[in-house]
Amino acid sequence: MLRRTLLTTAALALGVLGAGMAQAQEKLKACFVYVGPIGDGGWTYQHHQGALAVQEKYGDKVEIQWQESVPEGADAERVLTQMALGGCKIIFTTSFGYMDATNAVAAKFPDVKFEHATGFKRDQPNVSTYNARFYEGRAVEGLIAGRMTKSNKIGYIGSFPIPEVVMGINAYYLNAKKVNPNVEVSVVWAFTWFDPAKEADAAKALIDQGVDVIASHTDSTAPLAEAAKTNGAVIGFGQASDMAEYTDGPRVTSIIDNWAPYYVERVGALLDGTYEQKDTWAGIAGGEVLIGDITEKVPAEVKAEAEKMRDDIAAGTFHPFTGPINKQDGSPWLAEGATAPDGDLLGMNFYVEGIKGDIPK
Amino acid sequence: MDFGSINPVILIASLMVAAVPIMLAAVGELVVEKSGVLNLGVEGMMVMGAICGFITAVETGSPFLGFLGGAAGGAGLSLVFALLTQVFLANQVATGLALTLFGLGLSALMGQGYNGIKPPLTPDVPFGPLAQIPALGPILFAHDWVVYFSVAVIAVTWWVLKATRLGLIIRAVGESHDAAHALGYKVNRIRLGCITFGGAMAGMGGAYVSLVRVPQWVDGITAGAGWIALAIVVFASWRPWRVLIGAYLFGGITVLQLNLQAAGSAIPVEYLSMSPYLITIIVLVIMSSGKGRAALNAPAVLGQNFHAAR
């Protein structure tokens, strides 16, 4: 009993001391939860670059903390709770699967701001969501794929069948088909965000089936490494990060997730007291999605075409989902000239007409 | 079953490659368990082998030295396990789990600066015209040397355990360390040797992932292959040739389900993904029921520490 009292006193004293120190330094603690290791060279790496940008921008005013490879599910809730108890004032949860955990923990810590990437649930006033319009990058990839494929078979390594990924597949296919009506897309679901061996196997399976352009929606560079084994017969794209180390190999361009401006803005808003709950979905126009250098493997006219599409998307004169578009079953989705409303995209659970196979349930 | 447009020759050829890491790790663990030691740290030793092999291959430019480096890395980590369990008599289950966590962390630390580098390629063994034989060529004569090595290890392990004095001693130690000790065998020293062998094999399996299957280094690259290797040992009921079957089955189903998807087959992939584990459970149930128990074949003192003065 005595020991317990002692411990409680000690804990309290420590807590007070900790709070005192925090106030003395007035450091804002910004925390990041990552689904994979920073060394994945893709998704998590880019989020960590954003975190580092926050540290660099605000220097002594903020302290950043992060945890890598946090599983989606019950573990995430535990990690979030620990972070909130540990004095984090703003927590960025950087994977779709943290959605429920983020909202559940946010309910218990109303004073802590939560920022959930790629989700749509803002059940609590202290939960904001942010996302990037990756599908805009997918459209550019699709155009290059449609022009570059010799076998007319292009591949896509899906992670999980969520709207984000389905949207990417549709944008990729539609814009490939626009320039190459004979193109077919093969989709392989890896059911993981990060498992290099499995991602490589998925790429190999696609290559075995005659696919010669591979886009991936998983986090590591493994699909590119697999494509590199074909000595140039198969090309691919950098995903989430530039993956520039494959520029002399299969990587012809890339979608780069540029989270830094958003992280800097949000932490800055919290510092100067202008922070508000919001839902952000920026794309190429907002600089959140960047298209990496298009290499010389791509013929000049295709490169120019791709760059024009990128610029048109940025200028708002072209939308990757412009009607007429039918759903896979043939029922109409978008009328001639209509563009897809954001709501439709965020809940997308169907393939467009022409894609074979079913989305796993 | 509808195989769609999948070419069975390519499928078999790729499953042989996919099975190598888990096969090497599993056959190593089999020997460890035959000597009565349960080392759950296979995953940690594999990932250490992956990074040590990667570093060695990149620094020396030789993939062959890379595999030796991987084996050394895995064996090195297994010595930590041997020290804790054989000398300090720590609990084997807890030590093994800790070894996995330690290996994952240490490999991530060692791998700093090795992200995004491409290792030297491991070429296929040149069989000349043999590789051109239809069907048989791609399956039997178009692999790198590690694929053949892994099958050879299975054969040698089987022969040693079954037909040699050394195998008899290892089995004796695993069945009754007290009896083996009474006969004058150095129980802990024999186990130390087995643990090191297990570590080296797991390390080579890991190196195969980072040098051949994925050819690059990323943190946690083995992604659970070590656990599958552990399951295979049980699935194989501690028999080397069944390890081969188990590894091809587990590796094959991974490849098959991805190929089925790429070919646009209508079979739900979830069933295929879970089938190896389902089979393991069924095998476990059959083997542990009544008559099946004799066939269970588990070493009698598996997981128990031994100290001569006890």
Side-chain angles (χ1 to χ4, degrees), chain A residues 37-41 68 153 186-191 194-198 200-202 204-206 208-209 220-223 225-226 228-229 231 245-249 357-358 360-361, chain B residues 5-7 10-11 13-14 17-18 115-118 121 209 211-223 251 254-255 257-266 269-270 273:
Chain A
I38 292 168
D40 68 355
E68 298 171 74
K153 281 185 178 172
S186 299
V187 181
V188 169
W189 296 97
F191 290 98
F194 179 77
D195 180 344
K198 199 164 189 190
D201 283 346
K204 188 162 190 324
L206 285 169
D208 287 349
Q209 293 298 321
S220 88
T221 49
E226 187 65 36
K229 289 185 197 164
N231 293 323
E245 63 269 27
Y246 288 96
T247 41
D248 57 351
D358 297 316
K361 292 288 178 294
Chain B
S5 55
I6 296 174
N7 182 342
I10 292 178
L11 183 74
S14 35
V17 172
N115 294 119
I117 297 176
K118 275 167 269 182
L121 273 183
V209 177
L211 290 177
V212 180
R213 256 182 91 199
V214 187
Q216 61 173 337
W217 169 253
V218 282
D219 295 356
I221 191 167
T222 49
T254 317
V255 175
Q257 64 108 339
L258 292 168
N259 269 287
L260 279 173
Q261 287 193 52
S265 158
V269 291
E270 293 84 350
S273 300

Side-chain angles (χ1 to χ4, degrees), chain B residues 41-67:
Chain B
V42 181
E43 175 78 5
M45 299 186 300
M46 281 186 85
V47 78
M48 274 302 286
I51 186 59
C52 291
F54 191 83
I55 292 177
T56 317
V58 167
E59 299 300 336
T60 62
S62 156
F64 180 75
L65 287 179
F67 281 102

Side-chain angles (χ1 to χ4, degrees), chain A residues 133-156:
Chain A
R133 294 177 186 268
F134 305 115
Y135 68 88
E136 295 180 345
R138 294 292 175 195
V140 178
E141 286 184 355
L143 179 134
I144 295 174
R147 288 280 187 222
M148 297 288 289
T149 178
K150 294 187 181 72
S151 63
N152 287 331
K153 281 185 178 172
I154 61 175
Y156 197 105

Side-chain angles (χ1 to χ4, degrees), chain A residues 154-237:
Chain A
I154 61 175
Y156 197 105
I157 302 172
S159 45
F160 292 98
I162 56 174
E164 179 70 50
V165 180
V166 176
M167 198 188 325
I169 296 169
N170 284 334
Y172 179 65
Y173 173 72
L174 279 174
N175 290 280
K177 193 166 176 78
K178 200 174 283 176
V179 295
N180 181 351
N182 296 323
V183 84
E184 279 181 31
V185 66
S186 299
V187 181
V188 169
W189 296 97
F191 290 98
T192 178
W193 288 115
F194 179 77
D195 180 344
K198 199 164 189 190
E199 292 169 47
D201 283 346
K204 188 162 190 324
L206 285 169
I207 294 169
D208 287 349
Q209 293 298 321
V211 163
D212 63 355
V213 186
I214 296 176
S216 60
H217 211 125
T218 46
D219 295 354
S220 88
T221 49
L224 282 176
E226 187 65 36
K229 289 185 197 164
T230 63
N231 293 323
V234 176
I235 58 169
F237 306 97

Side-chain angles (χ1 to χ4, degrees), chain A residues 3-41:
Chain A
R3 199 193 314 169
R4 192 174 296 166
T5 324
L6 259 176
L7 276 175
T8 320
T9 324
L12 265 176
L14 268 178
V16 170
L17 197 68
M21 275 168 64
Q23 270 168 10
Q25 296 171 346
E26 281 181 15
K27 269 194 180 179
L28 180 87
K29 204 165 176 184
C31 302
F32 298 81
V33 184
Y34 302 138
V35 70
I38 292 168
D40 68 355

